[in-house]
Structures are given as structure tokens and as C-alpha cells.
Amino acid sequence: MNAITNPVLRGFNPDPSIIRVEDNYYIATSTFEWFPGVQIHHSKDLIHWRLLKRPLDRISQLNMQGNGDSDGVWAPCLTYDSGLFYLIYTDVKSHKGAFKDTHNYLVTAADIEGPWSEPVYLHSSGFDPSLFHDDDGRKWLLSMLWDFRKGKNKFGGIVIQEYSHSEQRLVGPAATIFEGTELGFTEGPHLYKQDGYYYLITAEGGTRYQHAVTVARSACLHGPYEIDPLNPVLTSSGNSGLTLQKAGHASLVETQNGEWYMAHLCARPADGHHCTLGRETALQKCYWDEKGWLRLEGGGNSPSATVQAPALPLHPFKPELERDDFDEPLLGSHWSTLRIPPDPSWLTLSEREGFLRLKGMESLSSLHRQSLIARRQQSFSIEAETVIEFEPESFQQMAGLILYYNTEDYVYLRITHLEQHGRVIGIIESKHGVYDELLAADLKLPQYGPVRLKAIVHRDRLQFYYATEDTNWCPVGEEINILHLSDEAAEPLRFTGTFVGVCAQDLGGTRKQADFDYFIYREME
């Protein structure tokens, strides 16, 4: 019997929306401030997955310049109806304080790999929107309602409104159909029709360690909705021994053979509390009991790290290469940029053949234009390596290898220029927004020539290394605690995960270039 090993999408891949089209399965996940927006993974057996497409790949669909940390794309919803894929997403402009600026859009495509349309604006009333296609042909948008008023429950319930595909707009009145359970923080609605009932799946309890999946049902679309007497149907709350914590925010899929699976958000702590990899995606096998309620296979409501796979032929994919030599005309699909798309004004793979050239832009504190590319850390133990050719002329010019969570939390092995020493290497750390330089004195480098850079991570510890053409690997500083690269390390609530990559800054505005010959990402677990 084949088994699914959870999480199926490791590293920062939260808020899964799963569908099946014929014998293909797709999961869309949130990307927040990282570009391109939304990750769509593909599988044929629910065991093996590959990153297939990131559909929001141009500014006309997703303009995130100025978006804050953990803003951007929240909780997409991927659906399919009558030959067309529909993708609903939120572009959050701000989530601080009482208000939330949450703009919700819809794009469509006849093929999952695109081209994807220009966006249709829906509303800005709340977040976590989803689209339900009823069997009478009508379409309905669901979202949570954000109520910022004093004395109100900010999670104001689940609202439904009809969407007209022909007019490309919402029509008719909006109505609240569900106010949630006592768990509170009601969000992430997905609606399904099964055996004459409308089933409303919601995320509750907040997306931390009390997170949960709850279910309600109604014979009528607009309710009233009856709450499952055994809610929550899935949670990790109160069970710290589970491998998968924070279980919640779920969606459902039925296989070709009538088996049911729930895709849900989860997280794995590196130390018992801090989840440096971010929130991930797992699958649980489900069934409908004799009373018509959704239940986990095997009983209980706890997520399992190993789950029985469906009765489908195995379909593995070619594994991702560990080494990227930057020989292709476009960045590989595992790379992301911060808030902005790559363009020749700051990133090029053609000016110097076989090299990634970054032209330094704004600082690591910038919410606008950073010259940075990175990929998700997807294992607790990794090795990352690159080689850089960079000849800075000022302390304002920097480039190197970075582990990045957000503008306030990162650790950066950077090369720069100091007036008294010339080219040097050292470590910058930002912890909760506090800048520090971790070496008592930066290490002198030859004034010219390539420098190899390496990071080795084991759960909560990071060690940097460097080497020049005529030296072996030398450690840079001591081991560094990297638990601050996690959702749990600071307030207010934040939602992403650790990335590893390369970057360049030129605070003098001359766009000093740094050339990278290769990048190796190797998992050691």
C-alpha cells in the first residue's frame, strides 16, 4: 500500500486550495510579498508533486511595490468549471492596526499553464475569498468580512455574493451566511455540494497553534448552516507531540475513484516552537460518515504525518537539480524576487553568459526595490553555496549570500569595501529590526577575484564559510541562532518562512554589479 508523506509541499507553502481536473491534481498556495504570485503544484498520485506554474507574473496582475512584510498574496482559491480555470486572490496592501486594505481579484485561463488573464477586481471587504460553482450554473464569491469597528468581532463572518461571469463583476446583495463557532477567527471559506447539502469548510482559531478546520452544512445555499457537532474536524491544538502543528485552513478533493482528501496548512517547529520553514501543506484522507459529516480516516481529528495514498498509479517527477549554473535565459521556477518582477534594469542572465548579474539597488529594509533573488528553505538541514565576483568601491556597496525572513529578520554574509582595508567580508544580522555586525572586525579579502560563499544550516543553527581561489573553506564567525527567522519570533503576526539566496545593494545609487556563477541548494536530511 502506497503512502503519502506529509507535508507534501515542504517549506513556505500555506493556505492550500486543491482541485482535480480529470486525472490531474493542482494545489495553489499563498506567496505573500514574493514574486511571482501564487504557487501552483501538480500531481497525478497525491504523493509526488512538482511546482508547475506561478500565474501572477506581471505587474498588471500584481503590483506589490510598497507592500509591507507579510502583505501581498493571501490565501488563493483555485477552481475549474466548463473548461476554464479560475484563480481568486487577495493583494493585501496593509494589515497593521485596526484596518486591512485587502483588494480581491479574479484571473482565468483555459490552460493551467496560462496565459492567465488580466485581473477582474471584486471587492476589498475582507480576505480569503473563494469561488463556488453551483450545479445550476451560477457562481458565488465567499470571503470573510473584516469589521474594524470598536467593540465588534473583527472576524465578522462569512459573506456570500453572486459573481456574474458574463459581466465580470459581483451582482446582487451580499449576505452573511455564517458567523463562526466559539473558536473564533473565522476565515478561509470553501464551499462544496455533496448529497444535497452545501458544506462550508472554514479555518478557525487563528493561524497559530490553536488553528483548526471546522465544518457546517445547509440544505440551502444561504443557510441557515448547522455546525458539525464534533467540530473541529482537524486540529493540532493541545497536542504538542504531533509532527504537524497548526493544522487548519483546508480544502477538499475527490479522486477519480471516489476517495476524499483534505489539503490543509501545517507547520513543523525546529525547536518545539519556532517554525523556521514557515507554514506548509499536508494531506489527510477523509470520508463521509453515516450522518453525512466529514471525518478523518482512522478516527479522531489530529493530522497524521503518513497517510494512505489513493488507488492511483504512481507518477514520480524528475527531481530538481541541486545546482543552477544560470545558463538559461530565464530564472528557474524555484527562484522568487521580493515584491517586483525581475527586469534587465537590475537582473540579467545575458549580459555575461553563464552568470547571474545583479545590479545593486535599495537596502534590505526597503519595501520597494530590492535586488534580491531567493528560494524557499524546504528542509531543516541544508547547504547553500555560490561564487561571487564583486569589486565594491564603497561601504555603501554590498553583495553576497543571505538567509532572509523579512525586512526585519535576516542574516547576511556580505562582501563590501572599507576605507582602511579595501575589500572585506563580514556578517550583517537584523534581529527584530535591530541592525548588528557579528564580527569584531571584517575579514580582509584579495582586492580582486572570485569568492566562494557557503551557508550550512542545521535546524536552529547557521554557520557561514568563505573561500578564495587559493584557500580552502574558512568559517566566518561563530554559529548563529536563526530562530528569529520564523513566524513566532515577533509580533504582530507574520506569515512567511525562511528563504536562502543572493542579493546586492548600492546605497549610493550607481547600481554596482555583482556576478554569480552558480548557486547550489542541497538538502541534507
Side-chain angles (χ1 to χ4, degrees), residues 181-448:
T181 76
E182 69 280 356
L183 289 178
F185 301 97
T186 308
E187 56 188 347
H190 288 278
L191 198 62
Y192 301 90
K193 199 169 187 180
Q194 169 77 1
D195 293 336
Y197 280 103
Y198 294 94
Y199 285 87
L200 181 63
I201 313 294
T202 56
E204 293 196 300
T207 188
R208 302 199 200 192
Y209 283 92
Q210 289 74 45
H211 209 198
V213 178
T214 55
V215 177
R217 71 181 181 189
S218 173
C220 300
L221 177 66
H222 285 75
Y225 278 81
E226 172 193 7
I227 295 173
D228 186 333
L230 297 185
N231 268 337
V233 298
L234 177 72
T235 189
S236 312
S237 180
N239 195 340
S240 60
L242 294 171
T243 300
L244 307 180
Q245 293 293 319
K246 302 185 182 180
H249 201 115
S251 56
L252 304 177
V253 70
E254 183 181 12
T255 72
Q256 305 93 303
N257 304 321
E259 300 173 276
W260 285 85
Y261 285 84
M262 175 190 293
H264 66 92
L265 175 159
C266 66
R268 294 174 294 159
D271 67 336
H273 179 66
H274 295 85
C275 301
T276 54
L277 303 185
R279 299 171 304 155
E280 306 172 299
T281 286
L283 295 173
Q284 305 298 324
K285 191 171 186 182
C286 306
Y287 68 97
W288 302 93
D289 71 9
E290 68 280 358
K291 296 182 180 178
W293 291 110
L294 187 69
R295 299 288 176 252
L296 296 186
E297 194 76 47
N301 65 356
S302 298
S304 298
T306 303
V307 173
Q308 181 183 328
L312 296 172
L314 291 178
H315 192 94
F317 296 106
K318 185 178 178 180
E320 179 186 306
L321 296 176
E322 291 182 346
R323 182 181 175 112
D324 188 340
D325 282 303
F326 302 121
D327 291 333
E328 300 300 321
L330 299 174
L331 283 175
S333 62
H334 53 280
W335 291 110
S336 294
T337 55
L338 267 176
R339 296 178 178 84
I340 58 173
D343 70 62
S345 71
W346 67 274
L347 181 155
T348 174
L349 293 159
S350 60
E351 282 189 11
R352 185 179 179 189
E353 187 175 350
F355 284 78
L356 166 72
R357 172 166 289 174
L358 296 181
K359 300 175 183 181
M361 294 198 295
E362 295 174 354
S363 78
L364 288 164
S365 298
S366 173
L367 301 177
H368 293 84
R369 295 189 59 79
Q370 288 203 43
S371 181
L372 182 154
I373 73 163
R375 56 153 301 142
R376 286 156 176 76
Q377 181 186 339
Q378 296 181 282
S379 172
F380 286 118
S381 294
I382 66 160
E383 183 178 298
E385 179 186 331
T386 190
V387 64
I388 181 175
E389 295 185 28
F390 179 55
E391 297 173 7
E393 301 163 305
S394 161
F395 73 92
Q396 294 176 307
Q397 298 169 345
M398 298 170 280
L401 176 66
I402 191 165
L403 270 78
Y404 182 94
Y405 180 88
N406 65 12
T407 61
E408 297 203 336
D409 284 283
Y410 54 83
V411 189
Y412 183 19
L413 179 63
R414 62 91 178 95
I415 293 171
T416 190
H417 175 95
L418 297 181
E419 296 90 335
Q420 63 273 37
H421 298 304
R423 195 168 68 150
V424 297
I425 188 169
I427 301 171
I428 290 175
E429 179 184 65
S430 180
K431 189 172 184 179
H432 313 318
V434 179
Y435 173 91
D436 197 7
E437 297 171 11
L438 298 189
L439 303 187
D442 286 345
L443 307 176
K444 294 182 182 180
L445 292 173
Q447 294 309 296
Y448 306 99

Side-chain angles (χ1 to χ4, degrees), residues 1-6 8 45-48 305-310 314:
M1 187 69 66
N2 295 317
I4 296 168
T5 300
N6 283 318
V8 292
D45 56 14
L46 297 185
I47 299 172
H48 305 94
T306 303
V307 173
Q308 181 183 328
L314 291 178

